[in-house]
Amino acid sequence: MSSNGGASYGADEPTSYGLQPPRPGVPEQQPGVPGPGGVPYPGNPYAAPTQVVPEQQVPQDPGAGRLIAGRYRLLSKLGHGGMGTVWRAKDETVDREVAVKEPRVPDHLPERERANVFERMRREARAAARLAHPAVVNVHDVAVVEGQPWIVMELVQGRSLGAALQEGTIGAREAARIGLEVLGALEAAHAAGILHRDVKPDNVLLGPHGRVVLTDFGIAQIEGETNLTDTGGFVGSPEFIAPERVLGQRPGPASDLWSLGVVLYTATEGVSPFRRNNTPATLQSVLNATPAAPNAAKGPLADAITALLGKDPARRPNAAQVRRLLEEAAQPPAPEPTQVADRVRIAGPGGKSVRVGRKGWIGIGAAVVAVAVAAYLVIWDPFAGPLPDGWKQHKEKDVAATLVAPPEYVRGEPDRSTDKGHWVSYTDPSYSVSIVLTLYKKSEDTLNEIAGTASSEAYQDADAMEKTDDSSFSNMAESPAPKADTTETSYDGGEAAENVVTYVDDQTDADTPRPREARIFYYKTKSGDLYKLWIDYPGKGDFTERGREVAKTAIANLDIDKP
């Protein structure tokens, strides 16, 4: 930690809040899928499953059994904070479990001020009840008991993000996913004129099926109330409060976004960036300290966190800008290595490299080179029969075709900001097998690179692969030259072609060259557009037969919209 300003009481004091780092070698889990050992929170290997204690063994909380407003029976405490206690309760009128928040205000407040606080709580709770968003906890009722508003809310089964973080940080993708849900809740609230004012991990619930819920909308904090009490205590959570609120300025949506940035930093970096050993030191660090740059969070997520923690609210990104960064960070990784390139290098005779351009055997035109370029193709069979169990059809608008893939395969597509190509890919989670469909549009072929027929294109690709040489890569490991076998076939009554390719991939790991197989299917439509569907996989080993099955099924079930 560092500080941009001198604080007499510890802005530079080391944080007292540390979390365990991610376990080395543990991959980030998919959202909603249990991790190793039944861990229910993706990307957090330390988050242990919730232990269910038989109800008869749970000691009864004082106050349990009390009936609120004639219908809400208090069962047990779920948690408590500076503004009240949350109970699990039974709505005896409709026979459902709910969460009921019992309000609490400082005892030293005069009765008139206490009444004003309760009235503002009622108004804001009713405003929050109007919000309709899946990431906003539903407020069912405001029950007034002896002048105090008891807030009746949806009971979300799960743990808080704060509880999960006590057992370890979460991965960047899962943090971005959670951040997107919280951001959506904040956008809905801000559109309704409601500020949350207490966005923190303890108010983010991780429910079943990957659901994320932000609680305590308009309840925990009341706009306009004094931040510091007479005793120096802070209403809320000081480490998550934006600098402008510490200074007593009127908060706005940017204040909630600051708090989201602190949550994301804490969740991924394993340390609360502004927490110190006491409240005054924490407030000084919020005003003056600059946290260390994100380390576990990379790329767009790190950019979002850094921008959100800007001291000046006017210079923070708005919700739309944050959403774009988090959406990018939440995307599954593209097949490795993914790159945009005009040329692909593969090993050639004598240890030299073959450089294949757009007209080369890959021919995916400045698009994707996934896991190593390759594929092995079969003749299209219009009577392929039903799909294997679990396979899914994917109607892809950008390539005007329907593609099939096994259910666990991950979808990839071009980066629209840099790549104007028309392609889509599906890759198995191990990156061993890839399916890529590319469309070359005649209307965009200004250099007349599309051959006259599908078979001509296939022959040209095969010739370029076997004969093209480039001595600038002569230092590469020696490998056999790629081999291609071209065959003319048909598709939907029209002419088509295929290339059967075998080669050695020594680009990924020069010390351990890997044999590869590839099937590439070529078809040219009546309008002159060219399709290439290629499937690549290991040329030897356990994945070879599986790759051939994937290739056969993917090609046999390719459905082009306008053949």
Side-chain angles (χ1 to χ4, degrees):
M1 301 291 177
S2 62
S3 172
N4 291 334
S8 59
Y9 37 76
D12 288 315
E13 186 176 332
T15 178
S16 61
Y17 182 33
L19 300 178
Q20 299 181 52
R23 182 183 302 168
V26 176
E28 187 172 338
Q29 303 295 316
Q30 293 295 323
V33 178
V39 174
Y41 296 100
N44 184 341
Y46 293 94
T50 301
Q51 299 297 319
V52 178
V53 180
E55 190 166 347
Q56 64 270 19
Q57 297 180 15
V58 179
Q60 191 175 54
D61 294 311
R66 182 181 176 187
L67 189 64
I68 302 300
R71 64 182 292 182
Y72 305 110
R73 182 77 63 183
L74 303 184
L75 301 178
S76 61
K77 289 182 180 179
L78 294 174
H80 59 85
M83 296 300 293
T85 300
V86 179
W87 292 83
R88 183 171 66 91
K90 181 70 170 292
D91 184 347
E92 297 185 343
T93 300
V94 296
D95 192 27
R96 69 175 173 185
E97 287 197 347
V98 293
V100 177
K101 184 164 187 176
E102 175 186 3
R104 184 171 65 197
V105 297
D107 293 334
H108 61 78
L109 286 181
E111 185 60 32
R112 182 175 179 179
E113 291 187 29
R114 289 169 61 86
N116 289 338
V117 169
F118 289 145
E119 176 59 29
R120 289 197 297 269
M121 280 185 173
R122 285 194 294 271
R123 289 201 304 265
E124 295 228 2
R126 290 178 178 130
R130 296 196 300 269
L131 296 179
H133 191 278
V136 175
V137 67
N138 292 322
V139 177
H140 298 315
D141 191 12
V142 179
V144 180
V145 179
E146 298 178 352
Q148 299 188 24
W150 291 60
I151 313 302
V152 183
M153 300 171 287
E154 167 192 15
L155 178 64
V156 179
Q157 300 289 350
R159 307 177 70 191
S160 73
L161 176 61
L165 292 180
Q166 294 302 319
E167 300 171 6
T169 56
I170 60 177
R173 276 180 56 205
E174 178 65 0
R177 186 189 74 86
I178 292 173
L180 280 169
E181 296 297 321
V182 174
L183 179 65
L186 291 175
E187 288 177 304
H190 296 164
I194 301 171
L195 299 179
H196 191 284
R197 306 182 190 90
D198 199 19
V199 179
K200 60 183 179 181
D202 287 344
N203 282 339
V204 178
L205 299 183
L206 306 177
H209 310 297
R211 188 184 178 197
V212 178
V213 179
L214 184 60
T215 65
D216 271 357
F217 262 93
I219 299 172
Q221 292 272 319
I222 306 301
E223 184 176 359
E225 69 180 85
T226 304
N227 285 337
L228 292 175
T229 67
D230 295 340
T231 61
F234 196 86
V235 178
S237 306
E239 64 201 280
F240 296 99
I241 299 303
E244 59 270 23
R245 288 196 55 211
V246 176
L247 295 173
Q249 299 171 0
R250 186 179 182 85
S255 301
D256 281 345
L257 295 181
W258 158 283
S259 302
L260 174 59
V262 181
V263 169
L264 293 174
Y265 189 107
T266 303
T268 55
E269 302 304 311
V271 59
S272 179
F274 302 111
R275 178 180 253 188
R276 300 297 185 263
N277 287 331
N278 55 68
T279 296
T282 297
L283 298 179
Q284 277 295 321
S285 70
V286 167
L287 291 174
N288 300 313
T290 300
N295 181 43
K298 306 290 185 182
L301 180 59
D303 293 342
I305 292 172
T306 300
L308 286 171
L309 297 186
K311 305 294 185 185
D312 183 357
R315 302 186 66 178
R316 289 176 207 144
N318 59 32
Q321 293 168 323
V322 176
R323 176 168 293 279
R324 285 194 293 270
L325 290 171
L326 294 183
E327 286 176 344
E328 184 177 353
Q331 289 296 316
E336 296 180 351
T338 298
Q339 58 183 351
V340 176
D342 280 333
R343 295 171 180 253
V344 178
R345 293 176 292 168
I346 56 178
K352 296 183 179 181
S353 170
V354 177
R355 174 179 283 186
V356 184
R358 174 169 177 162
K359 292 291 293 180
W361 70 280
I362 300 290
I364 55 176
V368 67
V369 181
V371 271
V373 184
Y376 167 40
L377 192 72
V378 295
I379 298 175
W380 179 76
D381 179 5
F383 305 103
L387 288 176
D389 289 344
W391 277 56
K392 295 183 178 180
Q393 292 182 317
H394 304 277
K395 187 171 181 59
E396 301 291 348
K397 182 178 180 181
D398 195 43
V399 292
T402 298
L403 195 62
V404 299
E408 70 275 11
Y409 277 34
V410 179
R411 185 179 185 276
E413 62 179 341
D415 179 354
R416 298 303 178 192
S417 64
T418 59
D419 191 343
K420 305 305 180 183
H422 306 278
W423 62 267
V424 65
S425 69
Y426 286 87
T427 307
D428 86 297
S430 71
Y431 304 122
S432 296
V433 183
S434 293
I435 305 170
V436 180
L437 178 63
T438 306
L439 166 62
Y440 299 99
K441 292 187 176 182
K442 181 65 175 177
S443 60
E444 299 174 359
D445 185 27
T446 57
L447 299 179
N448 294 318
E449 293 184 316
I450 298 177
T453 64
S455 58
S456 296
E457 187 78 22
Y459 282 119
Q460 289 181 18
D461 281 0
D463 184 66
M465 176 190 65
E466 293 182 340
K467 295 182 179 179
T468 302
D469 192 14
D470 189 337
S471 61
S472 64
F473 300 102
S474 59
N475 62 333
M476 294 182 60
E478 184 173 351
S479 299
K483 298 296 182 181
D485 182 14
T486 305
T487 304
E488 297 181 18
T489 181
S490 63
Y491 174 86
D492 198 27
E495 186 261 356
E498 63 182 54
N499 267 328
V500 176
V501 181
T502 57
Y503 75 105
V504 173
D505 170 26
D506 57 8
Q507 303 280 320
T508 304
D509 186 350
D511 294 331
T512 310
R514 301 183 303 172
R516 304 288 299 180
E517 262 185 21
R519 284 185 156 179
I520 311 173
F521 178 77
Y522 300 77
Y523 178 73
K524 190 174 181 182
T525 68
K526 295 177 181 179
S527 62
D529 294 341
L530 176 68
Y531 280 88
K532 293 185 184 181
L533 174 61
W534 62 273
I535 303 91
D536 74 83
Y537 47 88
K540 292 182 179 180
D542 295 340
F543 268 92
T544 302
E545 289 305 319
R546 173 58 176 166
R548 290 171 179 169
E549 293 175 2
V550 170
K552 179 179 179 180
T553 305
I555 295 167
N557 289 276
L558 175 64
D559 185 6
I560 297 172
D561 290 354
K562 296 180 180 180

